[in-house]
Amino acid sequence: MDVERFFHWIERLNDGEHRRGWGGGGGGRSRRMFDGGELRLVLLKLIADEPRHGYELIKAIEELTGGAYAPSPGVVYPALTMLDEMEQIAAQASDGARKRFAVTDAGRAHLDEQAETVAALIARLEAIGAHRAKGEGAPIRRAMGNLRQAVQDRASRADTSPDTLHDIAALIDEAAQKVERLK
């Protein structure tokens, strides 16, 4: 496995990483959990399952991922506002200051149109939860992060020769073979 493929693999491994859970608090880029209107679809589905307010929606997503990911209020509440403006949800009368939302007929129709996408999004969240439940994998993520940082630091030095890059790749290949052979 060459260095580029190795980094691509690491990014796929950490796909959906959230600073609080999946990868720890390290630096670097991580792919956002949702693209475009995906979060709105998940929120709409959860509201269709039962009327909820923003905090309950955040907690429901966190539960689906086994605590690995919780969207911030800064993305949830604007998405709820947009769903409300699109007349896919409507605020219900509720006790206290929190707005509880229920799905509208237009929202149900939109969910029906997007049923396959919604199912895939929920499956993605549940897969993250299942992966986390398998044993957390925290020591492996920590070690992979350390390896990634060491490789990047060494490969980016001005005195790194092509032979050194080949040596690094050989070490990574050797480690991969040893992991594959574990019983």
Side-chain angles (χ1 to χ4, degrees):
M1 178 182 296
D2 64 19
V3 173
E4 282 298 317
R5 283 183 49 213
F6 172 73
F7 289 131
H8 177 72
W9 181 78
I10 295 249
E11 287 174 7
R12 282 189 23 232
L13 179 70
N14 289 326
D15 191 16
E17 175 181 331
H18 188 273
R19 299 269 178 251
R20 273 191 21 212
W22 253 58
R29 288 185 352 231
S30 65
R31 190 176 94 79
R32 290 187 337 208
M33 176 63 72
F34 299 110
D35 294 329
E38 292 177 341
L39 176 63
R40 286 193 312 270
L41 281 173
V42 169
L43 295 173
L44 187 59
K45 164 71 170 117
L46 293 172
I47 292 168
D49 290 346
E50 75 179 73
R52 305 175 199 235
H53 56 74
Y55 179 75
E56 290 171 324
L57 291 162
I58 291 168
K59 288 300 176 192
I61 292 171
E62 188 172 23
E63 282 180 29
L64 283 171
T65 65
Y69 172 77
S72 72
V75 297
V76 169
Y77 289 102
L80 290 173
T81 299
M82 183 172 280
L83 287 169
D84 191 26
E85 289 172 356
M86 295 167 67
E87 298 181 350
Q88 293 180 349
I89 62 172
Q92 291 182 320
S94 63
D95 299 333
R98 292 182 176 162
K99 282 186 189 177
R100 183 174 300 268
F101 293 97
V103 71
T104 64
D105 290 339
R108 285 198 193 283
H110 185 66
L111 281 174
D112 289 344
E113 291 169 8
Q114 299 294 322
E116 193 172 306
T117 301
V118 171
L121 291 168
I122 298 299
R124 181 194 318 164
L125 295 172
E126 290 171 341
I128 291 168
H131 175 76
R132 186 173 178 110
K134 272 186 181 176
E136 299 287 322
I140 293 172
R141 284 193 302 278
R142 179 204 46 78
M144 292 295 290
N146 287 345
L147 178 60
R148 179 182 181 157
Q149 190 63 49
V151 170
Q152 283 180 326
D153 290 349
R154 186 59 179 105
S156 66
R157 285 180 27 187
D159 64 343
T160 301
S161 69
D163 287 338
T164 300
L165 293 176
H166 289 292
D167 291 343
I168 292 169
L171 287 169
I172 294 168
D173 288 338
E174 181 183 342
Q177 289 172 358
K178 287 181 179 181
V179 169
E180 288 173 351
R181 293 183 189 133
L182 289 175
K183 293 182 181 183

